[in-house]
Amino acid sequence: MRRALAMFSLLAVAGCTNTLTSNEPPQPLLRLVSYDSCERLLPVLREAARKNIHPQGGGATRAEAAPAPATAKDSLSSKTQGSDYSGTNTHTAGVDEPDLVKTDGNRIFVVRQGSLEVIDAASKRITGSVGVDMGAHQLLLQGNQVLVLSSSYSNLSPMPEADSRLTKIAPQATRVQMVNVSGTPKVVGDFRIDASLVDARQVGNLARVVVRSYPRIDYPTKVDDAPVTSWLPSYSVNGTKGQVGCERVKLPDQFSGSSIVTILSFDLGLNSLNDGDPVSVMADGGTVYGSGPNLYLAHDQSWRGRDQRGRTEIFQFDVTQRQAEYVASGSVPGYLINQYSMSEHAGILRVATTMGQIESSVHTLKREGGALNQIGEVSGLGKKERIYAVRFVGTVGYVVTFRQTDPLYTIDLRDPAKPKVLGELKIPGYSAYLHPVGADRLIGVGQDATDQGRVTGTQISLFDVGNLSDPKRIAQFKIPRGHSEAEHDPHAFLYWPATKLLVVPVNNEAVLLKVEDSQLTELNRLTHQQGYIRRSLVIGETLWTISDRGLLATTLDGGTRLAWLPL
């Protein structure tokens, strides 16, 4: 009886509230402050370092543009993403995200062992290649320009001599290369900066690349002697060196981080790279979310330990112009799991957080002047559980929490001042990624589990959310001892609406399912030659699966192999 109750019972929601009362003390308004000279900026940087830098190397460790119309040179064919070919699975329609592979419906671009490979989709042949950085790669694409983002160790500005009592960590560097692929692929722009790659977003021609750098100082003995250049990121553009200016740096009036996050802007409509028009914030921001006109940078203080009640600071940037512009900031209690914890709708930012493994909440924030002020909250979700997945679809929110069973909460956000839970479904295990299918279906990818919360392998669930007060799981597909990259990286997930095809990598296979109205039917499983399949995409009537070993082309159901291109 207990098992049946855990698996199938729809429970009345208790303990959830939309009031703004809290046991935490009121938080002062968070603001960003800029300085007009390095002389005024330096004492403030030193003060922040003394408060926030730790001997282990810092306080903590995660861009969009206004839509730009396609130009003639960008329109290479009449093919349309989502109709004739699949693109990267992204959070927000029209806002692209960097990934391991890109396609424009005619060509496929992938990096392998320091080489950008160009594959012609029609002939299924590699038609060009060019050498790029050997670091870890992410790609963005617009017309005939591919932006290659890579991370490696820095050699632009070496660390100062280390204090013998401390262990120094070599600073990370991000390299941005622009490759023109109109004919023979050629690198036409090279930008490097002493900072690690956080994330990037792209709308139309404009790409926003977010990087994070740490002060190059010895702690604690040398803070008061460090020059301002120890904090400012160094960069080079096509071999010409430069440094982010003091006037480009903004600091929160309440310090909670020691690193500097910089937003760079690059125009893929050009055939070159500039200095990225940098805008920097002193914060440990680790999560980037783009709504299109706005880019949000969140810093959740996770370095304090997720068993503690920290706060997430959120900075909003207007990215409708060439250079990103800071416009507002605010904070909410708890921490985020990823970018899907944030969503902007009709001028309201919705944020889902977990507070110290105790309970979870959804907050609604509205920009009022330079502040993101909380106007509503629903709390009490998943007591003694943490959030595993979030998805906002219009005025509805879906939140999955987990400890032993998986409550799927449906949340009404039509009145952002009074959000409320409508339904709750408890089933074993959890979903780590949620994907809407039509108006009343939701796919969940995660882990099955015992009644005691021990995970047993991959499960793919199909939920009926047509009645938000009574969500149901209507189909389940399980792979014992399975693990999928899609659980933590949604870019690995592919759903092709035209044929209701779902492709999810599990272990070393790509599992192909057909998503029908009330069932999940296995079509096939694909494997590569000793390679782990990480991505899949559709071009016309062909399914492509990609691993570090190569690309496999098959029919959409996976039944017929059409070509194998080794990398």
Side-chain angles (χ1 to χ4, degrees):
M1 180 66 179
R2 180 181 178 186
R3 176 177 175 83
L5 181 65
M7 291 182 66
F8 303 113
S9 176
L10 260 295
L11 304 181
V13 177
C16 296
T17 176
N18 57 23
T19 66
L20 294 181
T21 60
S22 172
N23 293 328
E24 293 193 348
Q27 296 294 317
L29 177 65
L30 177 68
R31 297 182 303 115
L32 286 186
V33 181
S34 57
Y35 297 84
D36 56 8
S37 70
C38 292
E39 289 75 16
R40 296 184 62 187
L41 176 64
L42 181 57
V44 186
L45 291 172
R46 287 175 175 169
E47 179 188 358
R50 284 191 294 269
K51 288 182 178 180
N52 293 285
I53 298 180
H54 303 283
Q56 289 79 8
T61 333
R62 268 196 232 271
E64 317 288 291
T71 63
K73 66 187 180 77
D74 293 330
S75 304
L76 301 178
S77 73
S78 59
K79 291 184 178 179
T80 302
Q81 179 174 314
S83 177
D84 302 298
Y85 68 96
S86 65
T88 301
N89 181 33
T90 62
H91 184 186
T92 306
V95 181
D96 201 9
E97 301 173 11
D99 197 20
L100 306 174
V101 60
K102 289 291 176 181
T103 183
D104 60 4
N106 297 304
R107 301 164 295 184
I108 302 171
F109 303 92
V110 62
V111 174
R112 170 63 175 160
Q113 294 182 342
S115 177
L116 175 67
E117 306 291 337
V118 183
I119 295 96
D120 178 71
S123 64
K124 300 177 177 59
R125 296 186 302 109
I126 297 176
T127 57
S129 64
V130 64
V132 292
D133 192 274
M134 285 293 293
H137 297 94
Q138 298 282 301
L139 305 178
L140 290 169
L141 170 67
Q142 179 68 14
N144 281 317
Q145 308 287 21
V146 179
L147 208 63
V148 182
L149 312 176
S150 57
S151 296
S152 60
Y153 289 111
S154 171
N155 59 7
L156 287 177
S157 53
M159 295 286 286
E161 288 297 322
D163 188 307
S164 60
R165 296 170 296 171
L166 303 176
T167 300
K168 284 296 178 183
I169 301 175
Q172 292 289 304
T174 295
R175 188 174 185 181
V176 181
Q177 294 172 283
M178 179 177 283
V179 179
N180 184 282
V181 292
S182 58
T184 301
K186 179 182 179 182
V187 177
V188 294
D190 191 350
F191 176 91
R192 309 184 194 200
I193 188 167
D194 274 346
S196 58
L197 178 64
V198 177
D199 212 336
R201 294 294 181 271
Q202 177 189 343
V203 178
N205 289 341
L206 287 175
R208 313 290 180 172
V209 179
V210 182
V211 297
R212 180 174 52 233
S213 56
Y214 297 94
R216 300 175 297 278
I217 58 178
D218 290 326
Y219 177 87
T221 58
K222 302 298 179 72
V223 171
D224 289 333
D225 296 328
V228 70
T229 53
S230 295
W231 281 269
L232 303 177
S234 299
Y235 61 82
S236 71
V237 184
N238 302 318
T240 301
K241 293 185 177 181
Q243 192 163 46
V244 174
C246 295
E247 74 283 357
R248 298 294 184 95
V249 180
K250 294 182 181 292
L251 282 72
D253 55 359
Q254 307 158 45
F255 295 115
S256 62
S258 58
S259 57
I260 288 181
V261 177
T262 300
I263 300 175
L264 303 164
S265 302
F266 298 107
D267 189 345
L268 275 69
L270 305 177
N271 201 39
S272 62
L273 291 176
N274 61 3
D275 65 359
D277 294 319
V279 175
S280 298
V281 177
M282 192 167 190
D284 293 328
T287 303
V288 174
Y289 159 64
S291 65
N294 294 308
L295 180 139
Y296 293 90
L297 174 67
H299 159 45
D300 66 9
Q301 303 182 32
S302 59
W303 60 274
R304 297 184 184 275
R306 292 195 166 181
D307 58 337
Q308 301 181 29
R309 293 192 176 199
R311 294 189 70 82
T312 293
E313 299 168 352
I314 302 172
F315 305 105
Q316 179 184 358
F317 294 84
D318 181 333
V319 288
T320 59
Q321 304 300 319
R322 168 70 184 227
Q323 185 184 60
E325 179 185 3
Y326 163 77
V327 292
S329 57
S331 68
V332 292
Y335 63 86
L336 314 178
I337 55 165
N338 53 36
Q339 64 156 324
Y340 286 85
S341 295
M342 294 185 284
S343 173
E344 180 188 305
H345 179 76
I348 302 297
L349 179 66
R350 294 84 62 89
V351 185
T353 64
T354 294
M355 289 198 304
Q357 308 273 14
I358 297 174
E359 66 176 52
S360 301
S361 306
V362 173
H363 313 268
T364 55
L365 292 85
K366 183 178 181 180
R367 179 187 168 192
E368 296 172 330
L372 292 171
N373 291 327
Q374 182 169 306
I375 60 172
E377 176 188 37
V378 57
S379 60
L381 307 178
K383 291 188 175 181
K384 296 185 178 180
E385 299 176 339
R386 72 174 180 86
I387 291 177
Y388 272 68
V390 182
R391 194 69 191 241
F392 294 98
V393 182
T395 58
V396 178
Y398 303 98
V399 177
V400 172
T401 63
F402 175 73
R403 186 178 183 188
Q404 289 182 310
T405 56
D406 162 6
L408 169 65
Y409 295 96
T410 57
I411 301 172
D412 182 357
L413 294 160
R414 286 175 297 179
D415 183 352
K418 297 179 179 179
K420 58 184 178 181
V421 173
L422 296 179
E424 176 187 352
L425 170 66
K426 284 197 172 182
I427 54 177
Y430 62 85
S431 296
Y433 173 65
L434 299 172
H435 191 89
V437 179
D440 56 4
R441 293 292 187 270
L442 196 67
I443 296 172
V445 180
Q447 287 284 307
D448 194 13
T450 66
D451 288 346
Q452 291 72 43
R454 182 176 62 84
V455 297
T456 60
T458 298
Q459 70 171 356
I460 301 172
S461 301
L462 180 62
F463 298 101
D464 181 347
V465 291
N467 181 354
L468 295 174
S469 299
D470 187 23
K472 300 178 184 296
R473 182 166 69 182
I474 54 178
Q476 180 187 27
F477 186 85
K478 298 195 290 187
I479 304 174
R481 298 178 297 279
H483 292 275
S484 174
E485 185 175 356
E487 294 177 33
H488 59 85
D489 187 350
H491 297 153
F493 179 99
L494 170 66
Y495 177 69
W496 186 241
T499 59
K500 299 182 178 181
L501 171 68
L502 172 62
V503 183
V504 178
V506 181
N507 298 343
N508 65 336
E509 299 177 313
V511 178
L512 281 59
L513 303 175
K514 185 172 184 178
V515 182
E516 300 178 276
D517 185 62
S518 59
Q519 63 183 8
L520 298 169
T521 304
E522 182 175 357
L523 299 175
N524 226 315
R525 298 194 187 191
L526 301 176
T527 59
H528 285 197
Q529 301 171 5
Q530 299 179 341
Y532 281 79
I533 296 174
R534 302 193 62 193
R535 298 292 185 268
S536 55
L537 56 90
V538 169
I539 299 178
E541 298 300 317
T542 302
L543 171 67
W544 293 84
T545 51
I546 299 97
S547 70
D548 59 354
R549 296 287 182 174
L551 294 85
L552 175 65
T554 69
T555 52
L556 288 181
D557 62 1
T560 303
R561 295 168 67 99
L562 303 176
W564 166 253
L565 283 68
L567 291 175

